[in-house]
Each structure stands twice: as structure tokens, then as C-alpha cells.
Amino acid sequence: MGILEAAGAVCLTAFLFYRSVQAACLLLIPVGGTYLYVWEREKLRQKEREFTRQFLDALQSVSAALNVGYSLENAMLEAAKEMRIMYQEQDRIMKEWNYMIRQMKMNLGMEQILEEFSGRVDQEDVRNFVTVIATVKKSGGNMAKVIRQTMSQIQEKEELNQEIDTVIAAKKMEFLVMAVIPFGMIAYMMISFPDFMEILYRGVPGRAVMTGCLLLYLAAFGIGFRMIRIEV
């Protein structure tokens, strides 16, 4: 999907800025690469946020089981029963949880299981959780209390992210509109004043001007993209 969208962006840019098929090949790396990078970052961010919510639900189930006296291992087994009601087997949290349960049945140590889980997921919240759990198991602390505190911290972070998204939602829309406007302006000029635009598509000076405009646009797009990405 990302490659198809990037190819469409390259073709549109090549037509509006250069009106040349050869230019499309030259723009594959700068324009297509930029689009694909932004597309991938946004998809990964969405998936990470979705997994964080799933992980919070899993921790709530584990915490409830620990409060009634289950050990951590048995609490994870009980949590799997509740999670199967909330999620489907193809959801990421279910895949990870089922894999950990299979490892438990193979008599692998809980510390190793959680460490591998943290490595696969590679998220800060999960890494912090695994580090705290490993420390508590060695020191013999209150596991249920520690998990509740971890849940509280993750929830606060997620709520802050949601507040930030709400505050900058309008700015994101403005950014998307401003990103499209230059293409619309060039298309309008090509249709309304073809003779006036013709000089920009012939000879070295005209192509140099269009190349400079494209480079400025890509730089402005990169700056704007970083401005609307606020991570906690």
C-alpha cells in the first residue's frame, strides 16, 4: 500500500513539476522515499498506540488475577481467558500472549519469557514493565501493587498523548491542506495559463526553477511533519 501511494506521489510530482516521464525515474528516491518514510512512520505510530491500549487491557486482567491470590504465571493464564473475549486471535496482543503461554508450558523461566517479549515488541512501556517485574521477582516485592503502579504510569502517558492529539488536530489538518495547495496551484496554472507555464518545462533555467521549488517544498514538508509529531 505504501509503495503504491508513493508511486502515485512520484508520478503526480513528475507531471506537475517536470511534465516528463524521465523525471519520474529521477524522483523515485527523493519524493518516493520521503513519502514512504512519512507513511511508514505514521503506520508504525498508529500500531504502537493500538498495542499500548491492548497491553493496558492485558495488565488489568493480570492485576485482577493477582489480587485474588494467583501467582504471576497463573495470572497470565487467567488473563488470556479474558483477553480472548476482548480480542481476536490475529490481534497482536493475542499473538504475543499465546506465544508466551506456549513458552511457559515448555517450562521456560518467566524472566526469560518477559525479556524476549520486550525484545520482540521493542516499546519503552513494555521494557519498563519487564524491568520492574524482574526486579520484584528477585526482591520479593508486592507484584500486584507494582503492576497497578505501572498501569497508572502507562495510562497517564496515553491520556497525555490523546490530549496532545486533540490539541494539535486542527494544526494537522492545516498542515495537510498546506501540503496539497502547491500541487493545486501548479495544476490550476497549467490548465488556465498553459503558455505562461510552458517556459518552466523547457530548457535548463525553467527546470532549475521547478527543481528549486520542489526542494523548498520537500524541506518545508519535512519541517512541518516534525512540528506536528509530539511524542511523550
Side-chain angles (χ1 to χ4, degrees), residues 127-160:
R127 287 196 298 269
N128 293 339
F129 167 76
V130 171
T131 300
V132 170
I133 292 299
T135 303
V136 172
K137 283 185 71 67
K138 291 178 181 178
S139 61
N142 189 328
M143 186 73 68
K145 181 179 179 180
V146 169
I147 290 182
R148 285 196 301 269
Q149 291 175 344
T150 303
M151 287 170 49
S152 177
Q153 293 174 356
I154 297 175
Q155 286 173 338
E156 289 177 0
K157 180 178 177 181
E158 184 63 20
E159 289 172 0
L160 183 57

Side-chain angles (χ1 to χ4, degrees), residues 27-28 37 45-46 74 76-77 85 92 118 190 231:
L27 293 175
L28 280 176
Y37 172 78
R45 184 170 181 266
Q46 293 173 8
N74 290 329
M76 292 183 64
L77 293 173
I85 300 175
R92 186 181 180 189
S118 173
M190 287 179 63
E231 298 291 346

Side-chain angles (χ1 to χ4, degrees), residues 4-209:
L4 289 175
E5 292 183 12
V10 168
C11 292
L12 179 63
T13 303
F15 176 72
L16 292 178
F17 281 84
Y18 298 100
R19 210 161 64 186
S20 168
V21 176
Q22 291 81 1
C25 298
L26 298 176
L27 293 175
L28 280 176
I29 294 177
V31 177
T34 300
Y35 186 95
L36 199 57
Y37 172 78
V38 173
W39 181 89
E40 184 180 24
R41 289 288 297 274
E42 284 300 305
K43 291 297 182 182
L44 287 175
R45 184 170 181 266
Q46 293 173 8
K47 288 181 177 293
E48 288 178 356
R49 293 283 297 277
E50 180 183 359
F51 183 79
T52 298
R53 291 188 288 268
Q54 295 174 353
F55 185 59
L56 272 173
D57 291 336
L59 289 184
Q60 289 176 347
S61 299
V62 172
S63 178
L66 288 172
N67 287 333
V68 297
Y70 284 98
S71 65
L72 179 59
E73 290 79 0
N74 290 329
M76 292 183 64
L77 293 173
E78 288 297 316
K81 298 177 183 178
E82 296 185 14
M83 290 163 58
R84 289 191 180 96
I85 300 175
M86 295 184 290
Y87 298 105
Q88 300 178 352
E89 292 297 325
Q90 63 266 28
D91 289 328
R92 186 181 180 189
I93 189 64
M94 289 305 305
K95 292 180 179 179
E96 293 291 348
W97 216 262
N98 289 334
Y99 184 70
M100 286 193 291
I101 290 175
R102 288 196 297 270
Q103 288 181 307
M104 289 167 55
K105 293 180 179 179
M106 295 171 61
N107 296 322
L108 293 179
M110 182 54 63
E111 291 84 355
Q112 179 183 347
I113 293 173
L114 291 176
E115 192 67 34
E116 292 180 1
F117 168 63
S118 173
R120 290 193 304 271
V121 175
D122 193 24
Q123 288 190 18
E124 182 181 2
D125 294 330
V126 177
R127 287 196 298 269
N128 293 339
F129 167 76
V130 171
T131 300
V132 170
I133 292 299
T135 303
V136 172
K137 283 185 71 67
K138 291 178 181 178
S139 61
N142 189 328
M143 186 73 68
K145 181 179 179 180
V146 169
I147 290 182
R148 285 196 301 269
Q149 291 175 344
T150 303
M151 287 170 49
S152 177
Q153 293 174 356
I154 297 175
Q155 286 173 338
E156 289 177 0
K157 180 178 177 181
E158 184 63 20
E159 289 172 0
L160 183 57
N161 277 322
Q162 291 176 356
E163 291 178 4
I164 291 173
D165 288 342
T166 301
V167 171
I168 67 173
K171 296 300 180 182
K172 284 185 176 181
M173 183 57 64
E174 291 176 7
F175 169 72
L176 293 176
V177 172
M178 293 299 294
V180 173
I181 283 178
F183 290 87
M185 292 177 62
I186 296 175
Y188 171 76
M189 294 293 290
M190 287 179 63
I191 296 173
S192 302
F193 309 100
D195 296 335
F196 177 78
M197 294 291 291
E198 187 66 26
I199 191 173
L200 295 175
Y201 299 109
R202 292 183 179 179
V204 175
R207 294 184 182 278
V209 170

Side-chain angles (χ1 to χ4, degrees), residues 13 17 176 178-183 211-223:
T13 303
F17 281 84
L176 293 176
M178 293 299 294
V180 173
I181 283 178
F183 290 87
T211 300
C213 292
L214 179 59
L215 292 175
L216 286 174
Y217 172 81
L218 292 176
F221 183 89
I223 294 172

